[in-house]
Each structure stands twice: as structure tokens, then as C-alpha cells.
Amino acid sequence: MQKAYLNPTPDQTFEIVGEGAYNFVKVLAHSRGLQAAGEVRQACDERFQAFQRLAELIPEEEVILEWGHRNSRAALELVHASAVDHFLIDDFEMSAALLEMLLELDPEDHLEGSELLAFDYLAMDETELFDEVINDLSDKSASRELLLLWAAFRRDGSLPEGELKRFKTRFAPFFAEFTAEEHPADEVYLRDIESERPSLQAQARELWFRTENLWVLWPRFIEALRQRQ
């Protein structure tokens, strides 16, 4: 008996109908439970194996998954979460591959995978691919401004004045966070970021934590920012 199949919808999208290992809602919940219990490696394995099963299920022709369908959305969330897992262990190539698949399955980018993909491409020094994806990020995004600064710094070792001024003024809490000496994940921060409306300061620290592994690999960029405080 087939455990999973793609059910076409009138909107020219597809729903993943499945049970057992293809019940991605349960798989996602289980992986989150493992992570909350401190079983991080098992949680990562669970998510990557879910991605592998999904990849086998998807045919070569174009398939767009229905975001409004619970199991299909959970499958997309698992792919995104696995991309984050690989990013955090500096496996930028695998992270990028997962995100490229995610964007094929969800061109509207509900999970904002383009942002992480831009960081992956820049880390891989894939400048042409980076130039393509950076345009998908909103001008209102602090991540976009940070990426533009880092791209320029990687290219010629200096920070462009225009982008730097914009980052320092329009995204002041993010500039303050990325030039700070310490980034405590204390109770104040945790309460703030988990609240219904996190402050910009908390969002800035969250972005630091999400990208901290990059600055371990490329510390000179952060040093350059600190010199311009």
C-alpha cells in the first residue's frame, strides 16, 4: 500500500497525503519535542530524514505544495528547519540545496527562506547567486542591509559609507547589537523574544544568534563594524 501521494488541487498546487513517516505534522512535532528535551542531534536527523523522504516523493516536473494544507505546510517547515540545522554546522552547501528545493515547492516563500539562502550563498562566495536572491529581501529588512555590508566587505575589505550610514540610523538596534561585546541570552531577552511583540532590540539579538557561526568564521567583518561605532 502506498504510504503517501500528491493530491492535486484546483489551484494547481498539490497536497501531501500520507501516514506514518509521511505524516509530516507528527514528524515536525516529534522533532520539536526532541529538541526541547535536549536531543538536538536526533532532532536534526529526524528533520533531514523527513527531507529525504519528501525529495523521493516529489517528481522531476514542477510541483508547488499547498501552503494551506497542514501536512504539506509541515513538510515545508521540516525542509526549512533542516536547512537551518545545516547552516548552523557550517554546511552551507547542503543548507543552500535544501532552501533551493524549498523555494521551488513554495515560490511565495512563506518561511522567508530567501534570507538564509542569501547568507549561504555569501558564505560560499557564490556572488552571482547572491546578487539574484538579495533582491527578494525587503528594503525594510535589517538582514538585507547586513548582507549588503558583509558582501561589500568580503569583496574589497571595506564598508561602503552609504550602507553603513543606513545600517547605523535606520537599523540602530541591530548596529548596536552587532557591535556589542556581549550578547547574553538572559531572562530579559528570552521573555522579550517570546512575547507577542518582541522589541527591535530582542529581534536584533535573535539575528545575532541566528548568524553567530558566520562571525566566528569571519570575525574581521564584526571588527570592522565595531571600529565604526
Side-chain angles (χ1 to χ4, degrees), residues 18-55:
E19 58 186 41
Y22 294 90
N23 185 333
F24 292 117
V25 174
K26 284 188 177 180
V27 175
L28 180 62
H30 182 55
S31 74
R32 287 172 174 169
L34 287 170
Q35 183 127 357
E39 302 289 345
V40 177
R41 175 151 197 153
Q42 282 182 258
C44 293
D45 288 345
E46 189 97 348
R47 291 189 280 260
F48 187 63
Q49 289 164 14
F51 151 72
Q52 290 176 313
R53 291 193 298 275
L54 177 64

Side-chain angles (χ1 to χ4, degrees), residues 60-92:
E60 289 187 11
E61 58 263 25
E62 183 184 27
V63 168
I64 297 174
L65 294 182
E66 177 54 53
W67 178 253
H69 182 251
R70 282 186 71 215
N71 202 45
S72 305
R73 182 186 301 193
L76 294 169
E77 289 177 318
L78 282 161
V79 175
H80 183 264
S82 189
V84 172
D85 293 338
H86 284 86
F87 174 82
L88 292 175
I89 60 170
D90 303 335
D91 189 349
F92 306 117

Side-chain angles (χ1 to χ4, degrees), residues 196-228:
E196 190 175 332
R197 293 186 179 179
S199 67
L200 287 174
Q201 288 76 13
Q203 292 176 48
R205 187 159 302 173
E206 182 190 39
L207 180 59
W208 169 269
F209 288 139
R210 285 196 283 117
T211 58
E212 187 174 10
N213 59 308
L214 294 175
W215 320 130
V216 173
L217 294 172
W218 289 281
R220 288 183 58 244
F221 172 63
I222 300 300
E223 291 167 8
L225 283 177
R226 285 175 178 158
Q227 289 171 6
R228 304 299 298 273

Side-chain angles (χ1 to χ4, degrees), residues 125-217:
D125 205 23
E126 293 283 359
T127 51
E128 289 185 11
L129 293 172
F130 170 79
D131 288 342
E132 289 177 15
V133 79
I134 192 68
N135 293 323
D136 294 330
L137 273 61
S138 168
D139 289 344
K140 299 177 181 178
S141 163
S143 296
R144 184 179 190 276
E145 206 62 42
L146 180 68
L147 280 159
L148 290 171
L149 281 167
W150 187 35
F153 188 80
R154 290 208 67 188
R155 187 172 56 248
D156 53 33
S158 62
L159 298 170
E161 292 298 328
E163 276 85 357
L164 181 62
K165 182 178 179 181
R166 181 178 167 87
F167 193 52
K168 292 173 74 171
T169 55
R170 186 167 181 181
F171 303 101
F174 291 84
F175 180 77
E177 187 64 41
F178 275 74
T179 54
E181 293 293 337
E182 296 182 349
H183 313 270
D186 52 23
E187 289 186 14
V188 175
Y189 161 72
L190 292 173
R191 271 199 311 271
D192 193 342
I193 200 63
E194 291 169 4
S195 67
E196 190 175 332
R197 293 186 179 179
S199 67
L200 287 174
Q201 288 76 13
Q203 292 176 48
R205 187 159 302 173
E206 182 190 39
L207 180 59
W208 169 269
F209 288 139
R210 285 196 283 117
T211 58
E212 187 174 10
N213 59 308
L214 294 175
W215 320 130
V216 173
L217 294 172

